[in-house]
Amino acid sequence: MFDQYLISVNPDDNYKITVFGIDIFGFDGRVLDPVCLNPEDPHRVSDQLLRWHFRQSVLANVRGAGEPIFEHDFPPGTDMMKEIREGPYAQERFERELAARFRETV
């Protein structure tokens, strides 16, 4: 959940946990355990990292709300090009796919 930006910790709001979506575990609104914040511990959680992650989580969840989710796990034997051409946002999807593939080769 953390690496998918569905849950994050805001170090500027008393280390409050924010869940972006359905909170099935009851984490939303809770505060990070103080043991994670001990300044004497070299393995403590970095405020800078938490701040960056929280910002990315907000952006991903706000931006993602209006964008379509495209199917890209086609069953074997499926005509992927036909599915893309006849699906929603065909041109935008094709352009994104080309851009992603060109980035891989550069």
Side-chain angles (χ1 to χ4, degrees):
M1 289 175 57
F2 188 80
D3 57 346
Q4 295 172 328
Y5 303 109
L6 298 175
I7 188 169
S8 193
V9 177
N10 186 352
D12 299 321
D13 190 11
N14 201 28
Y15 299 92
K16 187 168 79 173
I17 298 169
T18 302
V19 175
F20 298 91
I22 299 170
D23 184 19
I24 59 175
F25 298 110
F27 292 147
D28 194 54
R30 296 178 68 188
V31 177
L32 197 62
D33 192 303
V35 75
C36 301
L37 311 171
N38 181 357
E40 302 300 318
D41 186 349
H43 302 291
R44 76 183 208 91
V45 177
S46 163
D47 285 355
Q48 185 177 5
L49 175 92
L50 289 176
R51 193 170 290 112
W52 176 86
H53 185 270
F54 185 76
R55 178 174 165 73
Q56 296 306 311
S57 297
V58 170
L59 290 173
N61 285 282
V62 170
R63 188 179 325 143
E67 295 181 6
I69 298 173
F70 297 121
E71 177 66 45
H72 57 273
D73 186 23
F74 297 99
T78 302
D79 184 352
M80 289 186 284
M81 290 306 297
K82 179 181 177 195
E83 294 286 327
I84 292 171
R85 273 194 319 269
E86 294 177 358
Y89 304 100
Q91 182 176 349
E92 292 89 346
R93 187 170 180 188
F94 183 68
E95 289 171 357
R96 285 184 185 181
E97 185 64 31
L98 283 178
R101 290 182 186 211
F102 284 138
R103 272 195 302 273
E104 291 174 3
T105 62
V106 176

